[in-house]
Amino acid sequence: MPAAAYAGKPCVCQFRRGTCDQTCVRDMLDTPFYVACLKLRNRRCLVVGGGEIGLEKVEGLLACDGDVTVIAPEIGPELERLADEGSIAWERREYAGAQDLDGVFMVIAATDDTDVNIRIYDDAEERAMLVNVVDVPPLCNFILPAIVRTGPLAIAISTAGASPALAKRMKRQIAEQYGEPYARLAVMLNDARGWAKATLPTYQDRKEFFEGIVNGEPDPIELLRDGDDQAVLDLIRSAQLAAA
Ligand SMILES: C[C@@]1(CC(=O)O)c2cc3[nH]c(cc4nc(cc5[nH]c(cc(n2)[C@H]1CCC(=O)O)[C@@](C)(CC(=O)O)[C@@H]5CCC(=O)O)C(CC(=O)O)=C4CCC(=O)O)c(CCC(=O)O)c3CC(=O)O
Ligand SMILES: NC(=O)C1=CN([C@@H]2O[C@H](COP(=O)(O)OP(=O)(O)OC[C@H]3O[C@@H](n4cnc5c(N)ncnc54)[C@H](O)[C@@H]3O)[C@@H](O)[C@H]2O)C=CC1
């Protein structure tokens, strides 16, 4: 019986392994994913396919300052607008093969053609580069989490593919709990990092300084929730005076 995810469309397992026995679905839950935060600025990120899903992926990459190229014979109006304004490069053609991956850091395949998606995965794996074929776990060497992003804070939620719908629900709930005040506190503490490195001699001193503020009384998050940013700046200032 084919995996539910592939109902009505060709199952990737059939292409790669003959008969689909849902191995790919079991593999996912047995896979420990190494979670990292990638710098995309000035790195070439390729999205193959320019429909609704391609657009979603492009927006995620642009939000992280990726240098984005789309390869697709046809793209949607919003992608066309992004190409016209110079935010992305559009190569109006089909995926041509491994040479399209030259100098590319990461490729996301969002075409509606399974054979093309498989080729992209194989070409990328051959080069040991990052590849995600949208919604096809066996053709991904990285998967995308749901993300709650506020200022410098990014909270990533992954279920290892078990349930993207659940990841979306958790995203809503986490966004309600950790929002603006946490992001503002992170920025304020970042402003004190230079001082701490220059003034406090050991890692232990700096750890105590930052943990003292973050976990101290009064609670800086409560102060920020009340809109009292100045009280938090004062808190940091007095911790600096006490520590120096
Ligand atoms: C493995 C992974 C690979 C990857 O694509 O990276 C993958 C795979 C699959 N997704 C499927 C379905 C859906 N995916 C979404 C949504 C999102 N999917 C995302 C990530 C991932 N999806 C990776 C694992 C993430 C993790 O670790 O949990 C999110 C989080 C991030 C993003 O895409 O950027 C984004 C929400 C972002 C947000 O809103 O913030 C929805 C809901 C919706 O559409 O609104 C549904 C329908 C509901 C449901 O199925 O739960 C299917 C079945 C397809 C089918 O049935 O045909 C497969 C394949 C399979 O299960 O075999
Ligand atoms: N639309 C949706 O809500 C969802 C779609 N998906 C899957 O994601 C994939 C993309 O979805 P959509 O964006 O809706 O598809 P779409 O049909 O709107 O776009 C497909 C894109 O791929 C391009 N393309 C086709 N062959 C190509 C080739 N050889 N080289 C380069 N580009 C090529 C097309 O020109 C087009 O830009 C599909 O496999 C779909 O099953 C998965 C989950 C939800």
Side-chain angles (χ1 to χ4, degrees):
M1 202 179 90
Y6 303 118
K9 37 184 175 167
C11 175
V12 172
C13 297
Q14 278 172 12
F15 284 92
R16 300 178 72 83
R17 298 194 180 99
T19 311
C20 175
D21 57 2
Q22 299 203 1
T23 306
C24 59
V25 177
R26 285 197 303 275
D27 276 356
M28 281 295 280
L29 292 191
D30 286 341
T31 305
F33 287 95
Y34 184 71
V35 179
C37 300
L38 301 179
K39 278 191 197 176
L40 296 187
R41 183 167 295 158
N42 297 329
R43 288 196 189 273
R44 286 196 52 212
C45 302
L46 176 63
V47 176
V48 187
E52 241 348 273
I53 300 297
L55 170 64
E56 258 181 36
K57 302 302 151 183
V58 165
E59 286 173 337
L61 296 168
L62 287 180
C64 296
D65 293 349
D67 175 0
V68 179
T69 298
V70 172
I71 294 180
E74 306 286 339
I75 60 177
E78 177 58 14
L79 279 175
E80 211 157 338
R81 192 189 64 75
L82 289 169
D84 286 346
E85 72 177 23
S87 298
I88 61 169
W90 173 28
E91 298 190 16
R92 187 176 203 155
R93 60 178 175 82
E94 294 194 342
Y95 176 72
Q99 68 271 22
D100 285 341
L101 304 179
D102 283 348
V104 171
F105 179 63
M106 160 192 301
V107 57
I108 299 184
T111 84
D112 52 355
D113 184 327
T114 302
D115 290 332
V116 173
N117 289 341
I118 290 175
R119 255 174 69 211
I120 294 168
Y121 175 77
D122 286 343
D123 290 345
E125 268 287 314
E126 181 113 349
R127 297 177 168 219
M129 59 179 277
L130 292 171
V131 55
N132 176 288
V133 176
V134 175
D135 281 1
V136 188
L139 300 183
C140 292
N141 60 28
F142 73 97
I143 60 172
L144 294 170
I147 299 181
V148 178
R149 205 185 280 280
T150 318
L153 277 189
I155 306 171
I157 304 135
S158 171
T159 66
S163 175
L166 179 60
K168 267 181 80 177
R169 172 187 162 157
M170 291 173 69
K171 171 178 159 171
R172 266 199 322 276
Q173 291 175 317
I174 289 169
E176 282 162 22
Q177 195 174 344
Y178 299 98
E180 205 47 54
Y182 287 84
R184 286 216 301 284
L185 182 57
V187 171
M188 287 176 177
L189 291 172
N190 185 57
D191 289 343
R193 291 191 84 70
W195 173 88
K197 288 219 168 137
T199 316
L200 304 176
T202 69
Y203 179 85
Q204 189 60 28
D205 294 329
R206 295 188 286 273
K207 175 176 151 86
E208 281 167 21
F209 170 74
F210 284 115
E211 291 195 336
I213 298 168
V214 167
N215 305 313
E217 278 297 326
D219 179 348
I221 291 295
E222 288 307 322
L223 294 172
L224 291 169
R225 281 211 173 103
D226 293 341
D228 198 350
D229 290 35
Q230 189 53 48
V232 178
L233 293 172
D234 293 345
L235 205 64
I236 294 171
R237 188 77 206 119
S238 27
Q240 285 175 322
L241 291 172

